[in-house]
Amino acid sequence: MNDRSAAIPALELPLSARAPGKCILFGEHAVVHGAPELVLAIDLSTQVLVRGAAAFALNADPDGLEHNPYFRTVVERCWAGRPPVAVRAVSRIPRAAGLGSSSAFVAASVAAFGAASGGLSRADLARRSFAVERGAQGVGSPGDTSACVAGGYVTLNGGSGPVLWTLSDGEKEWTARRASDPGWTWVVAYTGVPRSTAEAVRAVGRRLGEPGGPELLAEFTRVATEGIRALEAEDRAQVAALMIQNQELLRHAGVSHPRIEALLEAARPVSEAGKLTGAGAGGSVVILPERGREVELLRRLARAGALTFVVRASPHGAEVVDPNDPAPLPS
Ligand code: PMV
C-alpha cells in the first residue's frame, strides 16, 4: 500500500477521490503528546468530486471557503493561486462523532488536488493531510489522517510493522507503521452527542500538565504498547482487557460522558470490551462484540438510543477514483 504503484497519479480535472473514516482502538489523546496509538481505517468513506468552476464552492455553497475551515485550509495549502473549483463531498461517516469525517474529507481532497497538481507520493499525501487538518483544527496528531491515507490498521509511535512514513509538527515526531489486520468485526455506536475535538484535546493537555499527569501519560503508553502487541498476536482476550483499561484512563483524563458510559453499560452483557473512540466528551464508542452475539449487541445499543455501525478495516486508503463511477460510495 506504500509502494509507487499506490501513489496518487497525475490527472486532470474533473476528478474524484475517496478516503475511509477511522476508529481508534488504543491511545487517543495520548498520541497528541507522542505516545503510541492503534487506529484502523473503517469501511465508511467520504468521496469528493472536484471540477473547474467560475467560483469556489463546497456542496453548492458559494461561501464554502468561509464556512468550512477544512475546505479553506486545503485550498490555501494545496491549491493556492490556482483557478476556482467546485467541490462536492458525499459521506457516510457521521460528523463530529469521532469517526474521522474531517480527516477523510481532508485526505480525499488532498489526494484530488495532489492528482491535479502532478501527482503525489503516499507519504507526501499523509504529511500534507496532517498539515491541513492541524492547520484547520489548531491541535492534534497525525493518527487520523495517517489511517485515512494508509487504510487498514496503522500504529503511531509503536508496533513492529513496516514503517509507512514519519511525520513531525516541528516539536513532536511520529512514525506510522502498518499493523496486520486480524479480520475482526467491530461495532461502533454514536451517542448522538457532537463535541469539539480541539476543546477535548486542550482539556486533556491541561490535565496532563497537572500533578499526576506524567504518570497518567505513562499508563496510556503502557496500555497502548501492550494493546498493539496483543492485536499483532491476535490475542482477543488481551485486546479486550486492555481496551477496558484504556477506557478507565480516558475517564481519569476527563473525556468520558454519561452517554458513553450508558452505551458501554448496555453493551456489556454481549461484548468482550468497549471504550470511547476519538476525542470523547460525546462522540462514539467502539465495541468488541462477543462472537455470535453481534445482532443482540446492535439491538441493545439501538434500545439505548445509539446510531450503530458494524465496521471492519477498509483495506483501501485514500485513492483517486473514476469521477463517473456510478456507485460513488461502495462501502
Ligand atoms: O477528532 P476525533 O474524535 O476523530 O479524534 C481525535 C483523536 C485525538 O487523539 C483526540 C486527537 C488527535 O488528533 O489525535
Side-chain angles (χ1 to χ4, degrees), residues 22 24 28-29 31-32 98 100 140-141 144 195 197 201 278-279:
K22 67 95 212 339
I24 300 172
E28 53 269 273
H29 284 292
V31 66
V32 175
S141 81
D144 290 14
R195 79 287 172 275
T197 297
V201 166

Side-chain angles (χ1 to χ4, degrees), residues 79-102:
W79 202 247
R82 307 284 298 270
V85 289
V87 174
R88 192 168 75 85
V90 189
S91 182
R92 288 191 52 209
I93 310 166
R95 294 177 72 171
L99 297 180
S101 60
S102 54

